[in-house]
Amino acid sequence: ATTALAGDTTTTKTSDCTKCNVQKEGQMPPRGMNHKRPPMDFEKRLNLTDAQKAKVKKQREADRAKIDPIRKQIQEKKQAKFEIIKKYEEKDADLIKLNKEIKALKDKEHKIMEDNRKAFESILTKDQKAELEKIKSEHAKKGFEKRCPAFEGQGHPNFDKE
C-alpha cells in the first residue's frame, strides 16, 4: 500500500491490505488492523535540531518499551473478556473485574502517552511550540471537516483563533 505524508491528503492510495480489503481515498484503515500511520512532519515543520531529534527518538523508544507490554496485556485481557462474554452475561463478576483491569491498563497507557507529549513539547523552542500549535489546529480542523462534510471550508469557532 502507498500512503501520503502527513498533511498531503490528495495522494493517499487505496490499501492493498487483504484484512480490510478496500480503503476509501484519504481514509485511515480501521483500528486494530495493525497498520502504520503516515509519518508526521513534525521534525521538518518544527525545524528540530539534531540534538532535539535524538532526544525525541530516545524518548519515543523508551515510551514504546513501556507501552508495548501494556498493549499486549490489554489485548490479552480483551481476549479473556471475549471468552467470558461468550459464556456469561454482562453481570458476571469475572467480566466486571476484567473491564476494570482493562480500564486501568488503558489509563496507564494514556498517562505514558500524555507524559511523552509533554516531554516532547518541553524540548521545543518558543518558535517550535508556536508551529506545533499551528499543526495541531490544522489537524483538528481537517478532522472536524472530515467528520462533518457539511461544514467543509466554513471552519469552526474553536479552530479560528485569529
Side-chain angles (χ1 to χ4, degrees):
T2 306
T3 56
L5 293 176
D8 181 5
T9 58
T10 59
T11 60
T12 302
K13 303 289 184 201
T14 302
S15 173
D16 296 331
C17 178
T18 57
K19 290 181 183 177
C20 55
N21 257 343
V22 178
Q23 181 180 336
K24 291 182 183 176
E25 189 74 23
Q27 188 178 38
M28 292 301 297
R31 277 190 86 173
M33 290 302 207
N34 210 14
H35 294 280
K36 293 190 179 207
R37 291 184 175 165
M40 295 299 289
D41 59 351
F42 286 117
E43 292 179 1
K44 185 178 177 183
R45 286 197 56 186
L46 296 175
N47 196 23
L48 296 181
T49 65
D50 288 340
Q52 288 174 315
K53 289 177 189 177
K55 284 181 183 179
V56 169
K57 182 178 181 182
K58 184 178 178 181
Q59 182 65 44
R60 284 185 181 156
E61 288 171 355
D63 288 345
R64 173 63 60 195
K66 293 177 193 174
I67 288 176
D68 282 347
I70 292 170
R71 286 184 176 164
K72 185 176 186 217
Q73 287 179 337
I74 290 171
Q75 192 58 36
E76 289 169 355
K77 300 288 183 187
K78 284 183 176 182
Q79 182 61 35
K81 177 181 169 180
F82 177 74
E83 295 300 323
I84 292 172
I85 288 173
K86 287 195 301 188
K87 296 177 187 175
Y88 304 102
E89 295 181 9
E90 287 287 332
K91 297 175 189 172
D92 185 78
D94 291 337
L95 183 59
I96 293 168
K97 180 182 174 200
L98 279 172
N99 278 334
K100 287 179 181 177
E101 291 173 357
I102 289 169
K103 183 182 181 325
L105 288 168
K106 284 185 175 184
D107 289 346
K108 197 174 187 180
E109 176 187 29
H110 178 74
K111 174 149 181 19
I112 292 170
M113 292 170 67
E114 185 66 19
D115 290 347
N116 175 271
R117 182 192 59 78
K118 289 177 183 176
F120 171 74
E121 290 179 6
S122 74
I123 66 170
L124 298 177
T125 66
K126 187 176 180 179
D127 290 340
Q128 290 168 332
K129 287 179 182 178
E131 183 63 21
L132 179 60
E133 288 305 313
K134 286 181 188 176
I135 292 169
K136 287 179 182 180
S137 178
E138 291 167 9
H139 181 74
K141 188 173 182 176
K142 284 180 186 177
F144 176 78
E145 289 176 351
K146 194 173 195 178
R147 288 186 306 274
C148 304
F151 292 100
E152 190 167 350
Q154 296 178 25
H156 186 278
N158 294 339
F159 304 134
D160 299 331
K161 296 178 183 177
E162 299 174 344

